[in-house]
Every structure is written in structure tokens, then in C-alpha cells.
Amino acid sequence: MPASILPHFTFNPNAYTLGLFEQKDIVCECCHQPRTYSYAGPIYCEAEVDALCPWCIADGSAAAKWDAEFQDWASVEGNSPDPAEASAPINAASLEEVVSRSPGYNSWQQEVWLTHCQDMCVFLGYVGGEDIRPLLPELRPDLQDWPDEEFLLRSLSADGGLTGYLFQCRHCGQHRLHIDCD
């Protein structure tokens, strides 16, 4: 793949427009190549990584080099943080792709990657109340902890203190929503 073609991320297809990569000149700490994009999302590893290109995320070399995760495995919906406990059945290849070869997303507290149809959902982006209003019938199961729906719709913001994170099942098209606040 020529270096000029940015890699596509199946489970985070909008990563470049969501601010998860900054367009700036770097030398990637993984491949040591000069690059024009630097990762600005979460990375879970012991190393302090400041300059990472999208190619090293996409091919898994960054995860392998630093034993890194871009989505905390224990924060995938249905996964138990205790390895001794059974987890929900999730497509293992998709789980590995999200954790090791997909950019994560920035959240206030802890990112939660949602699942549906026993597979990882696609992260679509940050959303506010007006963004989700047309999707409310689909999202109601995810809004059970929010008894005042109108308050939520007024307060939810794509970039504020109460933020929505919109996902979609790649099998049935069902939308899912995670909400987090500062």
C-alpha cells in the first residue's frame, strides 16, 4: 500500500474526521518513517508514545511493539474484566481488530465499545441530542438509565460535558449509544 493512501479502519471509519489523527509532520516511533498524520486517541501500554502513524495502528505493528491496546479489552461491552469469568460471545477476530488495529475514541471517563449481533459495532462518532432524536426508537434500550428523555436530548452534546458516542451494528444496522460525562 503506498504511504500516500491512508489506511481505512472498519470499526472506526470516521477516525480522520473525528480528530483522532492530527495532520502534522512526525517521525513515527513505531516504523521510524516520516509521516504527516499522528494519532491523537487513546493507547493503553506502558510505553510513552507521542508520535504514532495510522499505518502502524492498521497493520498491528504498534500493538505488537508495545503490547498496546487502542480500546481497553475489559471495556468492550460484554467482556468481563475478570479473565476467569465468562464473557459474552463476541466475534474474536473483530474484537482483536478493535483492540489492536483500530483507533480508539476519546471519552471523558472510560471508552466503552458497544456490541450487537455478537460482534463489535462500528463507531460512527460523537453526537448530541438533536443528532440522536431521529434514532430514539432504536436507542431507547440504551437510554433506560435516563428517565427524562427531553432533558437528555437538551443536555447531550457532541463536544460538551455530557457526550454521546454513536455506534452501529454492521450486521443488522441497529444504532447503539454510549453516554459519558465529565
Side-chain angles (χ1 to χ4, degrees):
M1 166 186 301
S4 61
I5 299 173
L6 290 169
H8 173 75
F9 298 101
T10 301
F11 293 97
N12 197 340
N14 303 316
Y16 301 104
T17 59
L18 293 174
L20 296 170
F21 291 95
E22 297 172 338
Q23 197 167 4
K24 67 179 186 178
D25 293 331
I26 63 164
V27 174
C28 177
E29 294 175 41
C30 184
C31 66
H32 307 287
Q33 297 295 311
R35 302 292 193 181
T36 56
Y37 283 87
S38 183
Y39 183 56
I43 182 171
Y44 301 95
C45 63
E46 290 183 20
E48 193 67 36
V49 181
D50 295 316
L52 178 59
C53 75
W55 293 271
C56 288
I57 295 173
D59 70 10
S61 58
K65 180 174 184 166
W66 295 302
D67 192 26
E69 293 180 344
F70 298 96
Q71 169 62 44
D72 180 19
W73 182 89
S75 294
V76 170
E77 183 183 44
N79 268 351
S80 171
D82 180 354
E85 289 182 18
S87 295
I90 300 170
N91 180 306
S94 297
L95 175 62
E96 195 278 328
E97 184 173 343
V98 166
V99 168
S100 302
R101 297 189 320 277
S102 298
Y105 68 90
N106 294 312
S107 178
W108 284 109
Q109 306 294 322
Q110 174 69 41
E111 304 82 17
V112 173
W113 206 282
L114 298 180
T115 62
H116 199 264
C117 292
Q118 298 183 328
D119 203 356
M120 306 297 289
C121 286
V122 173
F123 177 63
L124 299 178
Y126 311 103
V127 294
E130 290 309 308
D131 301 317
I132 67 165
R133 191 176 292 278
L135 303 172
L136 279 177
E138 284 182 76
L139 297 176
R140 285 215 168 88
D142 292 325
L143 302 177
Q144 290 178 5
D145 294 334
W146 296 92
D148 188 343
E149 199 172 88
E150 279 307 312
F151 172 79
L152 174 66
L153 292 173
R154 284 191 313 274
S155 304
L156 195 65
S157 162
D159 58 0
L162 184 64
T163 304
Y165 307 91
L166 186 64
F167 291 82
Q168 187 173 31
C169 179
R170 62 192 195 130
H171 300 286
C172 73
Q174 171 76 35
H175 285 91
R176 301 283 320 277
L177 185 70
H178 172 65
I179 298 172
D180 196 10
C181 59
D182 63 356

